[in-house]
PDB file of all heavy atoms in Angstrom:
ATOM      1  N   SER D  37     112.511  79.169-203.582  1.00  0.00           N
ATOM      2  CA  SER D  37     113.238  79.388-204.833  1.00  0.00           C
ATOM      3  C   SER D  37     114.448  78.466-204.841  1.00  0.00           C
ATOM      4  O   SER D  37     115.243  78.469-203.903  1.00  0.00           O
ATOM      5  CB  SER D  37     113.675  80.854-204.929  1.00  0.00           C
ATOM      6  OG  SER D  37     114.548  81.000-206.025  1.00  0.00           O
ATOM      7  N   GLY D  54     124.174  92.087-217.941  1.00  0.00           N
ATOM      8  CA  GLY D  54     124.534  92.712-216.657  1.00  0.00           C
ATOM      9  C   GLY D  54     124.043  91.960-215.443  1.00  0.00           C
ATOM     10  O   GLY D  54     124.055  92.498-214.336  1.00  0.00           O
ATOM     11  N   ILE D  69     117.261  71.731-198.455  1.00  0.00           N
ATOM     12  CA  ILE D  69     115.859  72.106-198.703  1.00  0.00           C
ATOM     13  C   ILE D  69     114.946  71.117-197.972  1.00  0.00           C
ATOM     14  O   ILE D  69     113.962  71.508-197.333  1.00  0.00           O
ATOM     15  CB  ILE D  69     115.563  72.138-200.223  1.00  0.00           C
ATOM     16  CG1 ILE D  69     116.315  73.308-200.871  1.00  0.00           C
ATOM     17  CG2 ILE D  69     114.063  72.243-200.494  1.00  0.00           C
ATOM     18  CD1 ILE D  69     116.300  73.317-202.389  1.00  0.00           C
ATOM     19  N   VAL D  72     114.669  72.048-194.338  1.00  0.00           N
ATOM     20  CA  VAL D  72     113.796  73.203-194.093  1.00  0.00           C
ATOM     21  C   VAL D  72     112.325  72.772-194.189  1.00  0.00           C
ATOM     22  O   VAL D  72     111.483  73.176-193.365  1.00  0.00           O
ATOM     23  CB  VAL D  72     114.094  74.362-195.083  1.00  0.00           C
ATOM     24  CG1 VAL D  72     113.092  75.497-194.892  1.00  0.00           C
ATOM     25  CG2 VAL D  72     115.515  74.876-194.902  1.00  0.00           C
ATOM     26  N   THR D  77     107.193  71.695-191.773  1.00  0.00           N
ATOM     27  CA  THR D  77     106.071  70.768-191.571  1.00  0.00           C
ATOM     28  C   THR D  77     105.844  70.542-190.073  1.00  0.00           C
ATOM     29  O   THR D  77     104.696  70.557-189.600  1.00  0.00           O
ATOM     30  CB  THR D  77     106.360  69.427-192.281  1.00  0.00           C
ATOM     31  OG1 THR D  77     106.647  69.702-193.647  1.00  0.00           O
ATOM     32  CG2 THR D  77     105.172  68.483-192.200  1.00  0.00           C
ATOM     33  N   ARG D  85     105.634  75.621-202.425  1.00  0.00           N
ATOM     34  CA  ARG D  85     105.751  75.861-203.870  1.00  0.00           C
ATOM     35  C   ARG D  85     107.226  75.960-204.231  1.00  0.00           C
ATOM     36  O   ARG D  85     107.992  76.637-203.555  1.00  0.00           O
ATOM     37  CB  ARG D  85     105.030  77.163-204.261  1.00  0.00           C
ATOM     38  CG  ARG D  85     105.258  77.579-205.717  1.00  0.00           C
ATOM     39  CD  ARG D  85     104.392  78.785-206.093  1.00  0.00           C
ATOM     40  NE  ARG D  85     102.987  78.479-205.939  1.00  0.00           N
ATOM     41  CZ  ARG D  85     102.257  77.789-206.818  1.00  0.00           C
ATOM     42  NH1 ARG D  85     102.813  77.337-207.940  1.00  0.00           N
ATOM     43  NH2 ARG D  85     100.983  77.557-206.592  1.00  0.00           N
ATOM     44  N   PRO D  91     112.919  76.820-212.019  1.00  0.00           N
ATOM     45  CA  PRO D  91     113.257  75.635-211.229  1.00  0.00           C
ATOM     46  C   PRO D  91     113.638  74.421-212.073  1.00  0.00           C
ATOM     47  O   PRO D  91     114.419  73.585-211.633  1.00  0.00           O
ATOM     48  CB  PRO D  91     111.982  75.363-210.421  1.00  0.00           C
ATOM     49  CG  PRO D  91     110.903  76.134-211.078  1.00  0.00           C
ATOM     50  CD  PRO D  91     111.552  77.294-211.760  1.00  0.00           C
ATOM     51  N   LYS D  95     119.430  70.634-211.867  1.00  0.00           N
ATOM     52  CA  LYS D  95     119.676  69.253-212.310  1.00  0.00           C
ATOM     53  C   LYS D  95     119.109  68.244-211.314  1.00  0.00           C
ATOM     54  O   LYS D  95     118.762  67.121-211.672  1.00  0.00           O
ATOM     55  CB  LYS D  95     121.180  68.999-212.458  1.00  0.00           C
ATOM     56  CG  LYS D  95     121.855  69.888-213.488  1.00  0.00           C
ATOM     57  CD  LYS D  95     121.746  69.291-214.897  1.00  0.00           C
ATOM     58  CE  LYS D  95     122.397  70.130-215.966  1.00  0.00           C
ATOM     59  NZ  LYS D  95     121.689  71.351-216.335  1.00  0.00           N
ATOM     60  N   ASP D  99     115.187  65.069-207.191  1.00  0.00           N
ATOM     61  CA  ASP D  99     115.645  64.776-205.830  1.00  0.00           C
ATOM     62  C   ASP D  99     115.019  65.767-204.838  1.00  0.00           C
ATOM     63  O   ASP D  99     114.566  65.379-203.750  1.00  0.00           O
ATOM     64  CB  ASP D  99     117.187  64.862-205.810  1.00  0.00           C
ATOM     65  CG  ASP D  99     117.785  64.380-204.506  1.00  0.00           C
ATOM     66  OD1 ASP D  99     117.101  63.638-203.774  1.00  0.00           O
ATOM     67  OD2 ASP D  99     118.948  64.745-204.205  1.00  0.00           O
ATOM     68  N   GLN D 102     111.399  64.834-204.326  1.00  0.00           N
ATOM     69  CA  GLN D 102     111.288  63.595-203.521  1.00  0.00           C
ATOM     70  C   GLN D 102     111.544  63.887-202.043  1.00  0.00           C
ATOM     71  O   GLN D 102     110.832  63.406-201.168  1.00  0.00           O
ATOM     72  CB  GLN D 102     112.284  62.539-204.010  1.00  0.00           C
ATOM     73  CG  GLN D 102     111.818  61.863-205.272  1.00  0.00           C
ATOM     74  CD  GLN D 102     112.925  61.026-205.935  1.00  0.00           C
ATOM     75  OE1 GLN D 102     114.105  61.235-205.684  1.00  0.00           O
ATOM     76  NE2 GLN D 102     112.520  60.107-206.786  1.00  0.00           N
ATOM     77  N   ALA D 106     108.917  63.506-199.001  1.00  0.00           N
ATOM     78  CA  ALA D 106     109.206  62.650-197.840  1.00  0.00           C
ATOM     79  C   ALA D 106     109.060  63.454-196.543  1.00  0.00           C
ATOM     80  O   ALA D 106     108.590  62.933-195.527  1.00  0.00           O
ATOM     81  CB  ALA D 106     110.616  62.082-197.954  1.00  0.00           C
ATOM     82  N   ARG D 154     111.170  86.937-223.478  1.00  0.00           N
ATOM     83  CA  ARG D 154     112.267  86.829-224.452  1.00  0.00           C
ATOM     84  C   ARG D 154     112.970  85.473-224.351  1.00  0.00           C
ATOM     85  O   ARG D 154     113.155  84.958-223.263  1.00  0.00           O
ATOM     86  CB  ARG D 154     113.263  87.972-224.219  1.00  0.00           C
ATOM     87  CG  ARG D 154     112.675  89.332-224.578  1.00  0.00           C
ATOM     88  CD  ARG D 154     113.638  90.455-224.303  1.00  0.00           C
ATOM     89  NE  ARG D 154     113.935  90.626-222.896  1.00  0.00           N
ATOM     90  CZ  ARG D 154     114.453  91.735-222.368  1.00  0.00           C
ATOM     91  NH1 ARG D 154     114.707  92.775-223.142  1.00  0.00           N
ATOM     92  NH2 ARG D 154     114.710  91.805-221.089  1.00  0.00           N
ATOM     93  N   LEU D 155     113.349  84.928-225.519  1.00  0.00           N
ATOM     94  CA  LEU D 155     113.978  83.602-225.684  1.00  0.00           C
ATOM     95  C   LEU D 155     112.962  82.473-225.570  1.00  0.00           C
ATOM     96  O   LEU D 155     113.317  81.299-225.514  1.00  0.00           O
ATOM     97  CB  LEU D 155     115.129  83.353-224.680  1.00  0.00           C
ATOM     98  CG  LEU D 155     116.158  84.465-224.501  1.00  0.00           C
ATOM     99  CD1 LEU D 155     117.247  84.021-223.523  1.00  0.00           C
ATOM    100  CD2 LEU D 155     116.784  84.839-225.833  1.00  0.00           C
ATOM    101  N   ASP D 157     109.239  80.306-226.553  1.00  0.00           N
ATOM    102  CA  ASP D 157     108.668  79.688-227.741  1.00  0.00           C
ATOM    103  C   ASP D 157     107.287  79.130-227.386  1.00  0.00           C
ATOM    104  O   ASP D 157     107.170  78.287-226.493  1.00  0.00           O
ATOM    105  CB  ASP D 157     109.607  78.549-228.197  1.00  0.00           C
ATOM    106  CG  ASP D 157     109.067  77.850-229.416  1.00  0.00           C
ATOM    107  OD1 ASP D 157     109.384  78.310-230.516  1.00  0.00           O
ATOM    108  OD2 ASP D 157     108.312  76.877-229.268  1.00  0.00           O
ATOM    109  N   GLU D 166     100.477  70.656-222.098  1.00  0.00           N
ATOM    110  CA  GLU D 166      99.840  69.380-222.448  1.00  0.00           C
ATOM    111  C   GLU D 166     100.461  68.226-221.649  1.00  0.00           C
ATOM    112  O   GLU D 166      99.753  67.352-221.137  1.00  0.00           O
ATOM    113  CB  GLU D 166      99.995  69.140-223.965  1.00  0.00           C
ATOM    114  CG  GLU D 166      99.325  67.889-224.492  1.00  0.00           C
ATOM    115  CD  GLU D 166      97.830  67.801-224.193  1.00  0.00           C
ATOM    116  OE1 GLU D 166      97.174  68.856-224.091  1.00  0.00           O
ATOM    117  OE2 GLU D 166      97.326  66.647-224.026  1.00  0.00           O
ATOM    118  N   PRO D 175      95.018  70.923-210.788  1.00  0.00           N
ATOM    119  CA  PRO D 175      94.573  71.787-211.874  1.00  0.00           C
ATOM    120  C   PRO D 175      95.713  72.672-212.382  1.00  0.00           C
ATOM    121  O   PRO D 175      96.533  73.136-211.599  1.00  0.00           O
ATOM    122  CB  PRO D 175      93.472  72.632-211.228  1.00  0.00           C
ATOM    123  CG  PRO D 175      93.806  72.660-209.778  1.00  0.00           C
ATOM    124  CD  PRO D 175      94.438  71.340-209.479  1.00  0.00           C
ATOM    125  N   GLU D 189      95.809  93.675-224.603  1.00  0.00           N
ATOM    126  CA  GLU D 189      94.669  93.140-225.370  1.00  0.00           C
ATOM    127  C   GLU D 189      94.636  91.607-225.359  1.00  0.00           C
ATOM    128  O   GLU D 189      93.601  90.999-225.617  1.00  0.00           O
ATOM    129  CB  GLU D 189      94.759  93.598-226.836  1.00  0.00           C
ATOM    130  CG  GLU D 189      94.543  95.087-227.070  1.00  0.00           C
ATOM    131  CD  GLU D 189      93.114  95.530-226.782  1.00  0.00           C
ATOM    132  OE1 GLU D 189      92.203  94.670-226.849  1.00  0.00           O
ATOM    133  OE2 GLU D 189      92.923  96.727-226.481  1.00  0.00           O
ATOM    134  N   LYS D 197      90.320  80.934-223.723  1.00  0.00           N
ATOM    135  CA  LYS D 197      90.790  79.543-223.605  1.00  0.00           C
ATOM    136  C   LYS D 197      90.050  78.790-222.502  1.00  0.00           C
ATOM    137  O   LYS D 197      89.902  77.570-222.538  1.00  0.00           O
ATOM    138  CB  LYS D 197      92.290  79.529-223.297  1.00  0.00           C
ATOM    139  CG  LYS D 197      93.147  79.427-224.514  1.00  0.00           C
ATOM    140  CD  LYS D 197      93.171  77.984-225.016  1.00  0.00           C
ATOM    141  CE  LYS D 197      94.204  77.801-226.105  1.00  0.00           C
ATOM    142  NZ  LYS D 197      94.029  76.522-226.806  1.00  0.00           N
ATOM    143  N   SER D 215     114.177 101.162-206.802  1.00  0.00           N
ATOM    144  CA  SER D 215     115.018 102.116-207.506  1.00  0.00           C
ATOM    145  C   SER D 215     116.229 101.445-208.164  1.00  0.00           C
ATOM    146  O   SER D 215     116.826 101.993-209.079  1.00  0.00           O
ATOM    147  CB  SER D 215     115.502 103.185-206.531  1.00  0.00           C
ATOM    148  OG  SER D 215     116.043 102.542-205.393  1.00  0.00           O
ATOM    149  N   CYS D 281      97.618  87.465-195.916  1.00  0.00           N
ATOM    150  CA  CYS D 281      98.855  86.794-196.341  1.00  0.00           C
ATOM    151  C   CYS D 281      99.159  85.627-195.401  1.00  0.00           C
ATOM    152  O   CYS D 281      99.111  85.756-194.187  1.00  0.00           O
ATOM    153  CB  CYS D 281     100.009  87.790-196.331  1.00  0.00           C
ATOM    154  SG  CYS D 281     101.536  87.079-196.957  1.00  0.00           S
ATOM    155  N   LEU D 292     115.199  83.402-195.402  1.00  0.00           N
ATOM    156  CA  LEU D 292     113.752  83.389-195.252  1.00  0.00           C
ATOM    157  C   LEU D 292     113.267  84.817-195.447  1.00  0.00           C
ATOM    158  O   LEU D 292     113.606  85.713-194.672  1.00  0.00           O
ATOM    159  CB  LEU D 292     113.364  82.886-193.860  1.00  0.00           C
ATOM    160  CG  LEU D 292     111.861  82.666-193.696  1.00  0.00           C
ATOM    161  CD1 LEU D 292     111.429  81.367-194.387  1.00  0.00           C
ATOM    162  CD2 LEU D 292     111.467  82.627-192.227  1.00  0.00           C
ATOM    163  N   ARG D 305     120.058  79.372-193.960  1.00  0.00           N
ATOM    164  CA  ARG D 305     121.239  78.610-194.403  1.00  0.00           C
ATOM    165  C   ARG D 305     122.336  78.673-193.342  1.00  0.00           C
ATOM    166  O   ARG D 305     123.009  77.682-193.059  1.00  0.00           O
ATOM    167  CB  ARG D 305     121.765  79.166-195.726  1.00  0.00           C
ATOM    168  CG  ARG D 305     122.854  78.286-196.332  1.00  0.00           C
ATOM    169  CD  ARG D 305     123.501  78.932-197.538  1.00  0.00           C
ATOM    170  NE  ARG D 305     124.243  80.131-197.176  1.00  0.00           N
ATOM    171  CZ  ARG D 305     124.852  80.933-198.027  1.00  0.00           C
ATOM    172  NH1 ARG D 305     124.766  80.677-199.321  1.00  0.00           N
ATOM    173  NH2 ARG D 305     125.496  81.998-197.623  1.00  0.00           N
ATOM    174  N   GLN D 336     104.566 104.005-199.686  1.00  0.00           N
ATOM    175  CA  GLN D 336     105.545 104.858-198.987  1.00  0.00           C
ATOM    176  C   GLN D 336     106.900 104.819-199.690  1.00  0.00           C
ATOM    177  O   GLN D 336     107.908 105.244-199.149  1.00  0.00           O
ATOM    178  CB  GLN D 336     105.724 104.364-197.551  1.00  0.00           C
ATOM    179  CG  GLN D 336     104.462 104.486-196.695  1.00  0.00           C
ATOM    180  CD  GLN D 336     104.553 103.587-195.465  1.00  0.00           C
ATOM    181  OE1 GLN D 336     105.562 103.546-194.784  1.00  0.00           O
ATOM    182  NE2 GLN D 336     103.479 102.846-195.197  1.00  0.00           N
TER     183      GLN D 336
END
Side-chain angles (χ1 to χ4, degrees):
S37 171
I69 291 170
V72 175
T77 305
R85 173 173 300 281
K95 299 274 180 287
D99 188 20
Q102 283 168 339
R154 292 178 294 199
L155 313 182
D157 179 88
E166 183 56 30
E189 292 292 336
K197 267 282 189 193
S215 50
C281 184
L292 188 77
R305 189 188 66 183
Q336 296 161 46

